[in-house]
Amino acid sequence: PTIVEVVVHAPLAARRFQPGQFYRLQNFEALSARAKGTALAMEGLALTGAWTDPAKGLMSTIVLEMGGSSNLCMSLKPGEPVVLMGPTGAPTEIPSGETVVLVGGGLGNAVLFSIGQAMRKAGCKVLYFAGYKGMADRYHVENIEAASDVVIWCCDEKPGFTPSRPADRSFTGNIVQAMVAYASGQLGEQAIAFS
Protein backbone atom coordinates (compact mmCIF):
# COMPACT_ATOMS: atom_id res chain seq x y z
CA PRO A 1 0.00 0.00 0.00
CA THR A 2 2.97 2.41 0.36
CA ILE A 3 4.72 1.42 -2.87
CA VAL A 4 4.04 3.24 -6.14
CA GLU A 5 5.32 2.17 -9.54
CA VAL A 6 5.85 5.05 -11.94
CA VAL A 7 6.27 3.97 -15.57
CA VAL A 8 7.61 6.71 -17.81
CA HIS A 9 7.79 6.85 -21.59
CA ALA A 10 11.46 7.79 -21.98
CA PRO A 11 12.95 5.97 -25.00
CA LEU A 12 16.54 7.18 -24.59
CA ALA A 13 16.61 6.44 -20.84
CA ALA A 14 15.13 2.98 -21.46
CA ARG A 15 17.73 2.15 -24.13
CA ARG A 16 20.68 3.33 -22.03
CA PHE A 17 19.75 1.68 -18.72
CA GLN A 18 22.03 -0.98 -17.27
CA PRO A 19 21.19 -3.04 -14.16
CA GLY A 20 21.98 -1.24 -10.92
CA GLN A 21 21.66 2.29 -12.24
CA PHE A 22 19.39 5.01 -10.86
CA TYR A 23 17.21 7.85 -12.12
CA ARG A 24 16.01 11.18 -10.79
CA LEU A 25 12.28 11.79 -11.05
CA GLN A 26 10.21 14.89 -10.37
CA ASN A 27 7.07 16.57 -11.60
CA PHE A 28 6.91 19.95 -13.35
CA GLU A 29 6.07 22.75 -10.91
CA ALA A 30 3.99 24.52 -13.57
CA LEU A 31 1.81 21.41 -14.03
CA SER A 32 1.65 20.36 -10.38
CA ALA A 33 -1.52 20.38 -8.31
CA ARG A 34 -2.10 23.26 -5.93
CA ALA A 35 -3.15 23.20 -2.30
CA LYS A 36 -4.12 26.51 -0.71
CA GLY A 37 -2.13 28.36 -3.38
CA THR A 38 1.02 26.26 -2.92
CA ALA A 39 2.41 24.25 -5.82
CA LEU A 40 2.79 20.58 -4.89
CA ALA A 41 6.11 20.29 -6.67
CA MET A 42 8.41 17.36 -5.94
CA GLU A 43 12.02 17.59 -5.07
CA GLY A 44 14.06 15.31 -7.30
CA LEU A 45 13.72 11.71 -6.08
CA ALA A 46 16.58 9.26 -6.60
CA LEU A 47 14.91 6.04 -7.76
CA THR A 48 15.90 2.59 -8.82
CA GLY A 49 15.33 1.51 -12.38
CA ALA A 50 13.14 -1.57 -11.87
CA TRP A 51 12.57 -2.68 -15.47
CA THR A 52 12.70 -1.32 -18.97
CA ASP A 53 11.07 -2.05 -22.29
CA PRO A 54 13.45 -0.43 -24.78
CA ALA A 55 11.28 -1.39 -27.77
CA LYS A 56 8.33 0.57 -26.32
CA GLY A 57 10.55 3.21 -24.69
CA LEU A 58 9.23 2.45 -21.19
CA MET A 59 11.14 2.85 -17.93
CA SER A 60 9.78 1.69 -14.57
CA THR A 61 10.78 3.16 -11.23
CA ILE A 62 9.58 2.07 -7.80
CA VAL A 63 8.80 4.67 -5.11
CA LEU A 64 8.26 4.07 -1.40
CA GLU A 65 5.88 6.66 0.04
CA MET A 66 7.72 8.19 2.97
CA GLY A 67 6.22 11.67 2.99
CA GLY A 68 6.63 14.86 1.00
CA SER A 69 7.80 14.33 -2.58
CA SER A 70 7.51 10.55 -2.57
CA ASN A 71 3.83 10.79 -1.55
CA LEU A 72 3.15 13.09 -4.50
CA CYS A 73 3.95 10.22 -6.90
CA MET A 74 0.57 8.72 -6.09
CA SER A 75 -1.11 11.82 -7.50
CA LEU A 76 0.66 11.67 -10.89
CA LYS A 77 -1.84 11.13 -13.70
CA PRO A 78 -1.39 8.84 -16.72
CA GLY A 79 0.15 10.88 -19.54
CA GLU A 80 1.31 13.69 -17.22
CA PRO A 81 4.73 14.99 -18.26
CA VAL A 82 7.49 14.45 -15.69
CA VAL A 83 11.24 14.96 -15.56
CA LEU A 84 13.25 11.73 -15.64
CA MET A 85 17.01 12.23 -15.56
CA GLY A 86 19.45 9.40 -16.03
CA PRO A 87 20.46 6.72 -15.96
CA THR A 88 23.20 7.62 -13.54
CA GLY A 89 25.68 5.73 -11.40
CA ALA A 90 27.91 2.80 -12.23
CA PRO A 91 26.03 -0.30 -13.34
CA THR A 92 26.38 -3.47 -11.31
CA GLU A 93 29.17 -5.77 -12.43
CA ILE A 94 27.52 -8.85 -13.94
CA PRO A 95 29.65 -12.01 -13.70
CA SER A 96 29.12 -15.00 -15.95
CA GLY A 97 28.73 -18.64 -14.97
CA GLU A 98 28.86 -17.93 -11.21
CA THR A 99 26.59 -18.84 -8.32
CA VAL A 100 25.38 -15.61 -6.72
CA VAL A 101 23.26 -14.62 -3.75
CA LEU A 102 21.04 -11.55 -3.99
CA VAL A 103 19.58 -10.08 -0.80
CA GLY A 104 16.88 -7.43 -0.93
CA GLY A 105 14.68 -5.92 1.73
CA GLY A 106 11.41 -4.17 0.91
CA LEU A 107 11.99 -1.49 -1.70
CA GLY A 108 15.56 -2.76 -2.16
CA ASN A 109 14.12 -5.65 -4.16
CA ALA A 110 13.26 -3.32 -7.06
CA VAL A 111 16.90 -2.78 -8.08
CA LEU A 112 17.48 -6.54 -8.02
CA PHE A 113 14.86 -7.28 -10.72
CA SER A 114 17.17 -6.23 -13.54
CA ILE A 115 20.39 -7.34 -11.81
CA GLY A 116 19.13 -10.89 -11.23
CA GLN A 117 17.76 -11.18 -14.76
CA ALA A 118 21.08 -9.99 -16.23
CA MET A 119 22.99 -12.50 -14.07
CA ARG A 120 20.73 -15.36 -15.17
CA LYS A 121 21.16 -14.29 -18.80
CA ALA A 122 24.95 -14.43 -18.22
CA GLY A 123 24.63 -18.06 -17.08
CA CYS A 124 24.69 -17.47 -13.32
CA LYS A 125 22.68 -19.46 -10.77
CA VAL A 126 20.82 -16.95 -8.60
CA LEU A 127 19.74 -17.62 -5.02
CA TYR A 128 17.57 -14.70 -3.95
CA PHE A 129 16.53 -13.75 -0.40
CA ALA A 130 13.56 -11.35 -0.61
CA GLY A 131 12.63 -9.84 2.76
CA TYR A 132 9.60 -7.85 3.85
CA LYS A 133 8.30 -6.46 7.14
CA GLY A 134 4.63 -7.24 6.44
CA MET A 135 2.54 -9.45 4.18
CA ALA A 136 1.17 -6.39 2.32
CA ASP A 137 4.67 -5.16 1.42
CA ARG A 138 5.46 -7.72 -1.29
CA TYR A 139 5.18 -6.57 -4.90
CA HIS A 140 6.15 -7.75 -8.40
CA VAL A 141 6.48 -11.42 -7.44
CA GLU A 142 6.84 -12.37 -11.11
CA ASN A 143 9.87 -10.05 -11.51
CA ILE A 144 11.58 -11.55 -8.47
CA GLU A 145 10.96 -15.06 -9.79
CA ALA A 146 12.33 -14.02 -13.20
CA ALA A 147 15.45 -12.67 -11.45
CA SER A 148 16.16 -15.92 -9.59
CA ASP A 149 16.49 -19.65 -9.80
CA VAL A 150 15.46 -20.01 -6.15
CA VAL A 151 13.73 -17.46 -3.90
CA ILE A 152 13.59 -17.57 -0.12
CA TRP A 153 10.55 -15.41 0.72
CA CYS A 154 11.12 -13.80 4.14
CA CYS A 155 8.48 -11.97 6.14
CA ASP A 156 8.54 -10.69 9.71
CA GLU A 157 4.76 -11.12 9.87
CA LYS A 158 3.03 -14.48 10.28
CA PRO A 159 1.96 -16.62 8.50
CA GLY A 160 4.57 -15.64 5.87
CA PHE A 161 4.37 -16.17 2.13
CA THR A 162 3.49 -19.32 0.21
CA PRO A 163 6.06 -20.03 -2.53
CA SER A 164 4.64 -20.76 -5.98
CA ARG A 165 7.66 -22.68 -7.36
CA PRO A 166 8.83 -26.07 -6.03
CA ALA A 167 12.41 -25.02 -5.18
CA ASP A 168 11.40 -21.76 -3.47
CA ARG A 169 11.06 -21.55 0.30
CA SER A 170 9.35 -19.38 2.87
CA PHE A 171 10.62 -18.12 6.22
CA THR A 172 8.91 -16.13 8.96
CA GLY A 173 11.45 -13.85 10.58
CA ASN A 174 14.11 -11.46 9.37
CA ILE A 175 16.28 -11.97 6.33
CA VAL A 176 19.48 -12.75 8.26
CA GLN A 177 17.68 -15.47 10.20
CA ALA A 178 16.37 -16.83 6.88
CA MET A 179 19.89 -17.01 5.47
CA VAL A 180 21.06 -18.95 8.54
CA ALA A 181 18.05 -21.28 8.33
CA TYR A 182 18.65 -21.95 4.61
CA ALA A 183 22.40 -22.50 5.08
CA SER A 184 21.85 -24.91 7.99
CA GLY A 185 19.28 -26.98 6.08
CA GLN A 186 16.32 -25.99 8.29
CA LEU A 187 14.34 -25.03 5.19
CA GLY A 188 14.88 -28.38 3.51
CA GLU A 189 17.03 -29.41 0.59
CA GLN A 190 19.08 -26.62 -0.96
CA ALA A 191 18.41 -26.42 -4.70
CA ILE A 192 21.39 -24.06 -4.83
CA ALA A 193 24.06 -24.76 -2.23
CA PHE A 194 24.54 -21.78 0.05
CA SER A 195 28.22 -22.61 0.44
Side-chain angles (χ1 to χ4, degrees):
T2 60
I3 295 172
V4 179
E5 180 175 25
V6 179
V7 179
V8 180
H9 183 255
L12 185 60
R15 284 194 307 272
R16 291 190 173 172
F17 174 73
Q18 294 180 53
Q21 290 183 307
F22 290 82
Y23 291 87
R24 182 177 173 194
L25 174 77
Q26 63 190 103
N27 63 355
F28 284 96
E29 181 178 356
L31 301 176
S32 65
R34 307 250 173 217
K36 297 181 182 177
T38 301
L40 300 178
M42 296 179 193
E43 296 177 332
L45 297 169
L47 302 175
T48 298
W51 58 263
T52 63
D53 185 336
K56 293 181 180 176
L58 299 178
M59 177 74 242
S60 166
T61 61
I62 305 288
V63 182
L64 178 64
E65 290 185 339
M66 298 177 60
S69 295
S70 60
N71 286 10
L72 292 175
C73 288
M74 183 61 84
S75 65
L76 292 172
K77 305 283 186 267
E80 179 180 338
V82 295
V83 178
L84 182 74
M85 293 172 265
T88 188
T92 300
E93 185 177 325
I94 306 296
S96 61
E98 300 279 335
T99 298
V100 297
V101 175
L102 297 179
V103 180
L107 187 64
N109 285 299
V111 72
L112 297 179
F113 298 165
S114 59
I115 292 170
Q117 289 179 30
M119 288 184 174
R120 290 186 78 203
K121 188 175 180 180
C124 293
K125 290 182 192 173
V126 178
L127 173 61
Y128 191 135
F129 289 85
Y132 302 91
K133 293 267 184 219
M135 298 284 292
D137 297 337
R138 188 168 71 155
Y139 58 95
H140 278 294
V141 171
E142 68 285 351
N143 285 339
I144 292 173
E145 290 176 343
S148 63
D149 294 286
V150 174
V151 180
I152 311 306
W153 296 104
C154 313
C155 188
D156 291 348
E157 187 178 271
K158 290 181 180 181
F161 303 114
T162 301
S164 59
R165 302 183 303 180
D168 294 350
R169 301 286 181 263
S170 180
F171 182 83
T172 303
N174 72 45
I175 205 162
V176 174
Q177 294 166 334
M179 293 172 80
V180 170
Y182 183 84
S184 68
Q186 293 176 31
L187 300 183
E189 183 180 341
Q190 296 178 14
I192 296 177
F194 194 70
S195 61

